[in-house]
Amino acid sequence: MQTLRITLCAAAMTVAFAANAAEVEVLHWWTSGGEAKAAGELKKMLEAKGDKWKDFAVAGGAGENAMTALKTRVVSGNPPAAAQIKGPAIQEWGDEGVLASLDDVAKADGWDKVLPKVVIDTMKYKGHYVAAPVNVHRVNWLWVNPELLKKVNAKAPTTWDEFFKTAEALQKAGIQPVAYGGQPWQDSTVFETVALGVGGVDFYKKAFISLDQNTLKSATMVKVLETYKKIKPFTDKNAAGREWNLATSMVINGKAAMQFMGDWAKGEFLAAGKVPGKDFLCVAAPGTANAYTFNIDSFAMFKLANKDAVKGQNDLASTLVSPQFQEIFNLNKGSIPVRLGADMSKFDECGKQSAKDFAADNKSGTLVPSFAHGMAMHSATQGAIYDVVSQFWNDDNMTAKSAADKLATAAKTK
Ligand code: BGC
């Protein structure tokens, strides 16, 4: 009898706990070493609030695969509680009428006061918060293995001339100059960095924000495309299809000297125990020291009927913007906190540089959204531009002039 009562009691407690413990299914694409470590911190903090993290990880850099998986789930009427959705795509999902309001959490936690305006505008749909921001990634970085550069007496290049001279010297010395991953999003990541470095901020804005036809077809764009393609001979023959983190490990392991990539690459160096300034260098990509391509990760929440699930979503949103989470997550992820005036004392030199430049470039109007990472344009336009950039990279018979014309046509895709 006694045993039965204890068992029943325990069962009742389990039920009571289950009713309060919301299961929060979170779709993301953070599966590399550094990314998974950072995502692990989020899971820990959410579970500390008594919720249950249900992992919906879809591998694939920049989230192309994750977005396909998300569409399938939403179309079948079974959306996850939260999904990593960024930039203008938040508005596209808002138009579908499937996103839940986060206004209560935002009000309670004072988001309007602690987030930069550019971020607030992106997180809101028709004046209501529907997404919570996580971080700011800088895209226009060059990651360098200093040991390899030392072998050819070179410093980290700051101009394109220096970059190509260094690449040639490395190649002559039998060192692989560039670690490259030939996937559409990576092609465009490198391409937009070249566009910023060669064309400058105004050119970048006209080409990828205004989608100005004349700029897209201009002589400057031809020069940008030619410079981008000039990198190809310095990549290896196995670059096609390579994941970005495998390219980063080439730099980590001394198999290649440099990689153009956003600062999620730093997460890989750190996860491998490498020290910035000693084992690896982070420098602004050639010609881009006075500009900043930003990429803000965020999570949008989907409308769900279950009340417990809503509690879980609110807990998640509140966690994401909290100072504690912003610090621990971004220390692992390679990005910087999105909160204004965040304490950067625990961050390394790359993180401090990024925060300093973000503020300075915000002031001087040289902060630009990364089109390759879904920050600048409609997803359909982005996809069409991706296609042209990758076609140009892969087809050695395509001229830069014809690629520029194709870019202009692609920019009309809606
Ligand atoms: C995301 C990063 C992610 C990277 C590689 C970017 O678009 O913003 O969080 O680490 O893709 O997957």
Side-chain angles (χ1 to χ4, degrees), residues 107-175:
K107 198 162 172 228
D109 292 354
W111 290 6
D112 279 343
K113 279 180 237 116
V114 298
L115 298 174
K117 180 160 186 325
V118 52
V119 177
I120 292 176
D121 293 345
T122 315
M123 299 303 130
K124 282 183 174 173
Y125 176 73
K126 299 211 164 130
H128 299 284
Y129 277 103
V130 291
V134 181
N135 60 358
V136 180
H137 270 301
R138 185 184 201 175
V139 182
N140 57 316
W141 287 113
L142 180 67
W143 303 92
V144 175
N145 180 315
E147 273 296 301
L148 295 183
L149 255 61
K150 219 161 110 199
K151 290 198 171 149
V152 295
N153 284 325
K155 286 211 184 89
T158 58
T159 65
W160 287 102
D161 276 354
E162 277 174 25
F163 170 79
F164 287 113
K165 267 193 204 133
T166 306
E168 258 166 46
L170 287 161
Q171 204 161 50
K172 270 203 194 118
I175 298 166

Side-chain angles (χ1 to χ4, degrees), residues 29-30 35 61-62 84 86 137 244 264 295 297 333 373:
W29 61 88
W30 291 330
E35 290 176 334
Q84 199 181 339
K86 315 187 296 180
H137 270 301
W244 67 272
W264 43 94
N295 168 24
D297 284 312
K333 187 69 171 65
H373 292 274

Side-chain angles (χ1 to χ4, degrees), residues 27-32 35 58-68 84-87 89 137 139 181 183-190 192 242-245 261-262 264 295-298 333 370-375 379 382 386:
L27 170 65
H28 64 94
W29 61 88
W30 291 330
T31 55
S32 76
E35 290 176 334
V58 181
E64 273 183 278
N65 303 341
M67 288 305 101
T68 309
Q84 199 181 339
I85 302 178
K86 315 187 296 180
H137 270 301
V139 182
Q183 296 179 339
W185 74 270
Q186 294 189 69
D187 293 336
S188 279
T189 298
V190 180
E192 74 171 23
R242 177 186 284 136
E243 296 294 339
W244 67 272
N245 54 319
M261 191 47 63
W264 43 94
N295 168 24
I296 294 165
D297 284 312
S298 49
K333 187 69 171 65
S370 162
F371 94 75
H373 292 274
M375 292 287 118
S379 54
Q382 178 188 324
Y386 266 22

Side-chain angles (χ1 to χ4, degrees), residues 140-320:
N140 57 316
W141 287 113
L142 180 67
W143 303 92
V144 175
N145 180 315
E147 273 296 301
L148 295 183
L149 255 61
K150 219 161 110 199
K151 290 198 171 149
V152 295
N153 284 325
K155 286 211 184 89
T158 58
T159 65
W160 287 102
D161 276 354
E162 277 174 25
F163 170 79
F164 287 113
K165 267 193 204 133
T166 306
E168 258 166 46
L170 287 161
Q171 204 161 50
K172 270 203 194 118
I175 298 166
Q176 177 61 50
V178 177
Y180 194 91
Q183 296 179 339
W185 74 270
Q186 294 189 69
D187 293 336
S188 279
T189 298
V190 180
F191 170 70
E192 74 171 23
T193 296
V194 176
L196 186 67
V198 173
V201 168
D202 287 344
F203 166 82
Y204 184 100
K205 285 182 180 169
K206 275 193 207 141
F208 305 123
I209 303 174
S210 314
L211 300 171
D212 175 62
Q213 286 289 305
N214 289 335
T215 308
L216 288 160
K217 285 191 255 186
S218 65
T220 308
M221 183 58 89
V222 172
K223 197 170 159 212
V224 165
L225 285 157
E226 283 168 355
T227 310
Y228 168 55
K229 195 68 183 266
K230 234 176 116 181
I231 299 172
K232 195 173 173 185
F234 299 109
T235 64
D236 65 314
K237 60 177 190 332
N238 296 325
R242 177 186 284 136
E243 296 294 339
W244 67 272
N245 54 319
L246 298 184
T248 309
S249 26
M250 290 170 72
V251 182
I252 295 176
N253 299 325
K255 300 246 157 59
M258 302 180 275
Q259 183 190 16
F260 292 101
M261 191 47 63
D263 41 22
W264 43 94
K266 194 182 80 179
E268 298 304 296
F269 284 98
L270 298 181
K274 300 294 173 189
V275 178
K278 180 174 154 270
D279 303 321
F280 69 96
L281 308 179
C282 53
V283 292
T288 71
N290 295 321
Y292 191 117
T293 341
F294 69 86
N295 168 24
I296 294 165
D297 284 312
S298 49
F299 283 88
M301 311 290 157
F302 284 84
K303 278 185 191 155
L304 298 175
N306 180 333
K307 259 210 188 133
D308 285 339
V310 173
K311 175 206 174 271
Q313 288 176 319
N314 288 342
D315 285 349
L316 177 66
S318 180
T319 304
L320 290 169

